[in-house]
């Protein structure tokens, strides 16, 4: 009987994958565009109503701004229906906003970290705060988005920021195992091969960003066909694989100057490991972060392993409250995996709820 049920489920899933348009519900969470500028659009998110229309009475509490890293689509926060941290936060009653950098190309090659930390994020935070009646913003950043978020909080103490949550945001690059084998090549000719390449092209193409992301999980990429064949009756798993494939396919270009700064200042010099980052117009110290921070790392994250992420706790010496949590998952999985709704998301919600009571 069990085998018959599995065969029936597998047959249904195969039909869904081949002629049914896919198994994952990839409809984005409804949103209203509030503000748009250079490399910045800010939207307010809402839940679907019974007929699929946005619910009129959206949450009214303090605003939560979701900040993605560069090079990836905002789908990281809204992977698929039923596995979306944005949807989860809305259902928990949090007024939720999303920052989108848009698509980038050669014309954006001049943009550095300063542009995002001192222009894009401050404006997005201000927009979210004003839309929420002037309430201070809780910022949630994944990967580089988390690094940008704490840098912004450290650099602009006058911004209406209530707290910051970072997910899978490494700041000690020498603690990343994937980096160690590349370091001799990086030091070759003082790093000239890499520097010359990104300066000539002006940006890191979306194809290269996609390849780099796939390479970090090459074992899963190579075994995916076997995983699919072995789980044809598991609709949830197949839908998750489909959603991750869509996410990976939507990678976007990375501005050349920002990549250069990350390459030289973080990858080669490991500057942020001591809590400071020297930019063209000054030095930012993470010791200047004066708000509560929640730091989350994944237990199977090869891009941002626990030691590289935990370093954030050590350098945020000015924060009045720091929480650190290790949750199941790899780099994307800790934020958007099927286990995240029982691990990372409740930690995020608990931290936000504690801010409500503060």
């Amino acid at each position: 009987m069990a085998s018959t049920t599995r065969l029936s489920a597998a047959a249904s899933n195969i039909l869904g994958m081949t002629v049914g348009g896919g198994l994952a519900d990839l409809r984005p969470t409804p949103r209203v565009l509030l503000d748009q500028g250079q490399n910045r659009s800010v939207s307010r998110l809402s839940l679907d109503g019974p007929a699929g229309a946005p619910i009129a009475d959206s949450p009214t509490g303090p605003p939560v701004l979701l900040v993605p890293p560069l090079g990836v689509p905002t789908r990281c926060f809204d992977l698929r229906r039923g596995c979306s941290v944005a949807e989860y936060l809305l259902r928990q009653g949090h007024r939720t906003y999303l920052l989108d950098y848009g698509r980038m190309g050669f014309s954006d090659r001049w943009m550095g970290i300063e542009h995002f930390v001192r222009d894009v994020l401050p404006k997005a935070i201000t927009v979210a705060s004003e839309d929420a009646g002037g309430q201070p913003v809780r910022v949630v950043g994944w990967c580089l988005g988390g690094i940008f978020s704490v840098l912004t909080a450290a650099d602009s103490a006058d911004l209406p920021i209530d707290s910051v949550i970072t997910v899978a945001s490494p700041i000690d690059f020498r603690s990343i195992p994937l980096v160690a084998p590349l370091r001799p090549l990086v030091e070759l000719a003082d790093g000239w091969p890499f520097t010359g390449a990104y300066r000539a092209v002006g940006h890191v193409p979306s194809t290269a960003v996609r390849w780099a992301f796939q390479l970090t999980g090459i074992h899963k990429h190579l075994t995916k066909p076997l995983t699919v064949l072995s789980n044809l009756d598991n609709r949830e798993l197949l839908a998750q694989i489909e959603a991750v494939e869509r996410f990976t396919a939507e990678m976007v270009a990375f501005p050349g100057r920002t990549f250069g700064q990350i390459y030289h200042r973080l990858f080669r010099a490991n500057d942020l490991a001591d809590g400071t980052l020297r930019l063209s117009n000054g030095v930012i110290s993470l010791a200047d972060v004066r708000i509560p921070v929640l730091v989350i790392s994944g237990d199977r994250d090869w891009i941002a392993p626990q030691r590289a992420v935990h370093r954030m706790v050590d350098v945020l010496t000015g924060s009045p409250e720091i929480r650190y949590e290790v949750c199941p998952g790899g780099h994307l999985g800790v934020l958007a995996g099927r286990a995240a709704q029982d691990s990372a998301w409740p930690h995020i919600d608990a931290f936000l709820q504690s801010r409500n009571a503060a």
Side-chain angles (χ1 to χ4, degrees):
M1 185 67 176
S3 60
T4 302
T5 301
R6 291 189 63 187
L7 284 173
S8 176
S12 176
N13 291 339
I14 291 171
L15 283 174
M17 290 187 294
T18 54
V19 298
L23 301 179
D25 186 346
L26 301 176
R27 291 174 300 150
T29 297
R31 59 202 62 186
V32 176
L33 180 64
L34 301 177
D35 177 72
Q36 195 164 27
Q38 187 171 40
N39 313 116
R40 180 192 78 252
S41 65
V42 182
S43 300
R44 185 197 318 116
L45 306 182
S46 62
L47 293 169
D48 281 336
I55 293 177
D57 297 327
S58 57
T60 58
V64 177
L65 177 66
L66 305 178
V67 179
L70 295 173
V72 307
T74 57
R75 188 180 291 277
C76 59
F77 291 111
D78 196 24
L79 193 66
R80 64 183 176 94
R81 295 296 178 95
C83 197
S84 162
V85 65
E87 183 181 50
Y88 172 85
L89 290 173
L90 288 165
R91 294 194 183 283
Q92 298 304 115
H94 301 291
R95 186 198 299 249
T96 307
Y97 298 78
L98 179 65
L99 171 63
D100 189 345
Y101 307 115
R103 305 196 71 82
M104 301 185 191
F106 184 77
S107 62
D108 299 307
R109 63 192 180 279
W110 59 271
M111 295 184 310
I113 292 175
E114 301 92 336
H115 173 63
F116 298 97
V117 170
R118 291 177 172 159
D119 183 61
V120 174
L121 260 70
K123 288 180 179 176
I125 290 166
T126 301
V127 167
S129 175
E130 290 177 349
D131 185 71
Q135 297 182 84
V137 180
R138 291 90 183 270
V139 184
V140 180
W142 175 54
C143 188
L144 186 60
I147 295 174
F148 281 179
S149 297
V150 292
L151 286 172
T152 300
D155 189 58
S156 303
D158 57 334
L159 279 173
I161 306 177
D162 171 85
S163 54
V164 172
I165 298 173
T166 70
V167 182
S169 300
I171 64 168
D172 183 359
F173 279 62
R174 287 202 171 94
S175 294
I176 302 177
L178 291 174
V179 170
L182 297 176
R183 194 162 294 281
L185 180 60
V186 167
E187 299 303 330
L188 177 66
D190 198 29
W192 180 86
F194 291 95
T195 305
Y198 74 74
R199 285 181 177 173
V201 177
H203 66 284
V204 180
S206 57
T207 302
V209 178
R210 182 167 58 251
W211 286 347
F213 184 83
Q214 291 175 331
L215 184 61
T216 60
I218 189 64
H219 61 293
K220 290 185 178 180
H221 187 65
L222 293 176
T223 60
K224 185 179 67 178
L226 179 59
T227 301
V228 171
L229 287 173
S230 303
N231 294 275
L232 285 175
D233 61 322
N234 189 335
R235 189 179 185 87
E236 267 295 297
L237 176 60
L238 297 177
Q240 184 73 3
I241 292 174
E242 182 183 313
V244 171
E245 284 183 341
R246 176 66 69 87
F247 165 80
T248 306
E250 293 176 353
M251 296 289 182
V252 296
F254 207 102
R257 185 161 176 266
T258 302
F259 176 80
Q261 290 173 311
I262 292 172
Y263 167 59
H264 287 289
R265 305 312 315 165
L266 305 187
F267 185 73
R268 294 185 64 199
N270 202 30
D271 274 3
L272 262 182
D274 67 1
T276 60
L277 182 63
R278 183 175 298 278
L279 300 173
S280 61
N281 51 0
V283 177
I284 299 178
S285 172
L286 296 186
D288 291 331
V289 173
R290 307 294 182 185
I291 55 177
V293 179
L294 168 63
V295 178
I296 295 176
S297 65
D299 64 356
R300 299 186 303 278
D301 191 342
W302 289 95
I303 297 177
Q306 294 176 43
R307 183 177 174 185
V309 173
H310 186 273
R311 182 61 183 164
M312 185 89 73
V313 176
D314 301 327
V315 301
L316 292 173
T317 55
S319 172
E321 178 188 0
I322 305 175
R323 299 186 191 181
Y324 176 72
E325 301 289 348
V326 178
C327 298
H331 196 56
L332 176 62
V334 69
L335 176 74
R338 292 183 298 156
Q341 54 195 311
D342 296 317
S343 52
W345 300 355
H347 283 302
I348 293 173
D349 176 53
F351 181 78
L352 295 175
Q353 297 291 359
S354 73
R355 298 302 304 147
N356 291 341

